[in-house]
Every structure is written in structure tokens, then in C-alpha cells.
Amino acid sequence: MRTFLLTGLSFIIFHLSFSSVSAQVFVELNCENLFDIHHDEGKQDVEFTPDGTRRWTHTRYWRKLNAIGQEILSCSEELPTLVALIEVENDTVIKDLTRRSLLRNAGYEYLMTSSPDVRGLDCALLYQPARFRPVCYECLTVPPLEGMRPTRDILYVQGETQHNDTLHLFIVHAPSRYGGELETRPYRQQVTSILTTALDTLITKNVLVAGDFNDYADSPSLTALEDAGLLNVSAKATGATGRAEGTYRFRGEWHSLDHILLSPTISQRMDSIYINDAVFLLEPENTYGGWKPRRTYNGYRYQRGFSDHLPLVLRLN
């Protein structure tokens, strides 16, 4: 495990953070390919470069950073205390997001993984130092099974809230269903196996597990976590405006691949959970009707959107 120094907040963000001290807001968001514009040697990220197939330019990169910042800030009236980000490439991206984008005055510090994922994608946690003080963190490697590509590490963070409660956080990005749900199911269950082992001595404490599991609430990888003692509090979450019935839409049907699970102790403090489906995060679904997330790319067509996932928002008392 690693330890580190913390930095202070600006006066403005100090005021925002404590404008409603009774509420702690946690956000989980898959950012949909938040890459910088440079190729990292050994990683399959060339398509997200200026000369790549997606023509990922400096302008598009900074527009994406500000879009993610806007999305986070729109999740609640209070500045979120903790934000779990999925599909972020590296330290450069998160540093630009927290220091130079629309979030630059929010005072966020961050922790992130450095995974063996072949595309170079990682998980990150943004936190307000005045309301959450990390004590230690660890990157939990998921050993690949036969035929399985190296995947993202699980980010584990232990920290203290402003009321001196200890919180254990696990941020997850499980392998996708590409290649078939049944064929890839063991890969996601491998992630669950690592999680349940880590949870063995923590289940009676304050535990929060969140991320993109690439599975639904009734999938074996999620029900195994419930069997281990966690509660999937996001299983029936819907949009705050009533437009979204899940965090992700595929062929006209809403589903939730993103989940938040709590241990029984901390679940007693849950005030509410919802999906941020603000209208500017959506676009009309012309083929099937209704709405869908306004993503950055539709295929290879750039459309100046946000993400193909909507944020999950948890409020704790």
C-alpha cells in the first residue's frame, strides 16, 4: 500500500463542500474512452491520436474534459464528495481534468490505477480532501484466465470521512461482453472472485463497491457479491427526470451495467440513489423512440457528446 500527503481546498470550494454538511454525494461514471492525444508505447490507443481513425485532436480532447466536468457538476446541488471514474487513460488525463478543465476550482485530488489493460484504460477516484481523507490505497490485480486479455485493476481506497468514519471503497471496471456474454462470463466472475476475497474481513464495516461491471443486476457476477453480503442499492435506480430507465441504452432498451453496492452498515445511511439523466446529457433515439445517452462518437462519427453511460448518483446522510 502507498501513503501520500494531502493538499488544501480553495475558499470557494470549501464553501461549496460544506453548504450541506449533512449529505455526502458519491458519483460513478464511465467516461467513454477518456484518452489523451498521445500514443503510449505498448498500448492499443493509436485510434485516439490526431492521425488515428477517430482524429482525436487537441480541441476534441479538451472539449471532452470539459464535458465530463460539466456532467459531474450537474449530478447534484452539492459538489460530490467522491467521484469514481471509469475508462480514463492515465495520470495526464486526470491531472488535466482536475487542474485545467471546468473542475479546476473544485479542489479535487485523485487516486488511480496503472493497469495492464491492453488499451491503457484505468479507474480513478476523485475526492474532496476536506471531506474524505485517504489513509492508504492499493491496486488489486485481476489475474487473467486462459484466453482472457489483461484487464483493469480494481482500485481499493481506505479513508476517513469528515466525521472520522472509516470507509472502504472498491472501484471496478470488469471485462466487456465482446465475444459473447456466455463466453466472457468467466472473465467477469474472475473480477468478482478477487472482490469477494478482499471483502472477506470487511463486510461488517463501511464498504462501497462501484463501477462498470458490464453485467446486469441479475447476472452471476453481481448476485455473487450479494451472496457475499453486499446490497445492490442501484438495482432499481432510474433517472431523476424520468427519461432514463438505466445507465446505458442498447438497441432501444435501457440497461444498467453500472452498479453501486453497499455493506449493510453503510446502507442504513442511504438517502437516495438516482441516475443523472439531465436533458443535455441525452439525445433523441430516432430508431426506437425515446432518449439515449449523448455519446462522444456514434460509431466513428464524432458528435461532441458526453458519454455512452449516464452517471449514478448516491446520497448518504
Side-chain angles (χ1 to χ4, degrees):
M1 293 189 177
R2 284 162 270 189
T3 58
F4 37 84
L5 296 175
L6 304 176
T7 60
L9 291 171
S10 66
F11 171 80
I12 294 176
I13 299 306
F14 184 90
H15 174 74
L16 287 173
S17 298
F18 288 89
S19 60
S20 179
V21 295
S22 62
Q24 296 271 4
V25 178
F26 175 87
V27 173
E28 183 276 340
L29 171 63
N30 182 317
C31 298
E32 188 201 355
N33 296 318
L34 183 51
F35 284 90
D36 62 22
I37 66 172
H38 305 291
H39 170 55
D40 291 343
E41 188 173 354
K43 299 297 183 180
Q44 298 175 12
D45 62 354
V46 175
E47 65 176 317
F48 284 94
T49 59
D51 296 326
T53 53
R54 295 188 184 273
R55 298 292 186 263
W56 193 239
T57 62
H58 188 270
T59 299
R60 291 181 176 184
Y61 169 63
W62 281 102
R63 185 177 289 142
K64 173 82 171 184
L65 288 174
N66 285 320
I68 295 299
Q70 182 183 4
E71 191 165 6
I72 292 170
L73 293 173
S74 71
C75 284
S76 66
E77 293 183 359
E78 305 92 352
L79 190 66
T81 303
L82 298 163
V83 182
L85 297 180
I86 313 301
E87 282 197 18
V88 293
E89 186 184 20
N90 51 35
D91 182 80
T92 298
V93 168
I94 300 300
K95 186 175 293 184
D96 284 343
L97 177 67
T98 56
R99 302 293 188 268
R100 303 176 66 190
S101 77
L102 286 177
L103 290 180
R104 62 186 177 274
N105 292 323
Y108 282 117
E109 297 295 329
Y110 65 89
L111 299 167
M112 68 182 305
T113 60
S114 182
S115 304
D117 177 73
V118 294
R119 299 180 65 215
L121 292 174
D122 283 295
C123 303
L125 177 72
L126 311 187
Y127 63 91
Q128 289 184 35
R131 305 194 73 181
F132 180 79
R133 184 179 70 85
V135 175
C136 60
Y137 76 105
E138 187 174 1
C139 300
L140 306 179
T141 301
V142 180
L145 303 176
E146 183 178 355
M148 175 182 170
R149 301 193 308 180
T151 191
R152 281 73 57 173
D153 290 349
I154 300 168
L155 178 61
Y156 165 68
V157 181
Q158 177 185 337
E160 294 180 351
T161 70
Q162 67 192 80
H163 301 297
N164 297 320
D165 291 326
T166 298
L167 180 62
H168 301 268
L169 291 162
F170 293 86
I171 312 301
V172 177
H173 186 192
S176 75
R177 296 182 166 208
Y178 183 77
E181 187 278 327
L182 188 61
E183 291 79 4
T184 58
R185 183 183 295 177
Y187 307 160
R188 292 182 292 281
Q189 290 177 309
Q190 177 74 336
V191 174
T192 297
S193 176
I194 300 300
L195 271 174
T196 53
T197 299
L199 288 168
D200 185 50
T201 60
L202 298 176
I203 199 62
T204 60
K205 304 181 185 301
N206 295 320
V207 178
L208 190 158
V209 179
D212 179 357
F213 289 80
N214 273 305
D215 262 336
Y216 307 141
D218 59 354
S219 299
S221 64
L222 271 300
T223 57
L225 291 175
E226 292 186 285
D227 291 341
L230 294 178
L231 305 173
N232 189 346
V233 296
S234 62
K236 297 182 179 180
T238 57
T241 71
R243 295 179 174 87
E245 298 174 18
T247 60
Y248 185 82
R249 199 173 193 204
F250 181 68
R251 294 179 179 174
E253 294 187 3
W254 285 104
H255 299 285
S256 284
L257 302 174
D258 306 273
H259 303 274
I260 297 176
L261 300 98
L262 303 177
S263 62
T265 304
I266 193 174
S267 67
Q268 299 173 14
R269 301 184 183 183
M270 188 178 80
D271 175 76
S272 60
I273 187 166
Y274 56 90
I275 298 165
N276 179 11
D277 59 346
V279 66
F280 72 91
L281 298 176
L282 303 170
E283 63 182 355
E285 172 63 89
N286 296 325
T287 303
Y288 301 99
W291 300 86
K292 64 180 180 180
R294 183 184 169 195
R295 59 191 301 169
T296 305
Y297 281 91
N298 186 358
Y300 281 88
R301 180 172 62 85
Y302 177 69
Q303 57 177 24
R304 300 180 63 167
F306 294 82
S307 174
D308 56 348
H309 291 240
L310 295 173
L312 267 176
V313 186
L314 170 71
R315 292 177 58 89
L316 295 170
N317 291 322

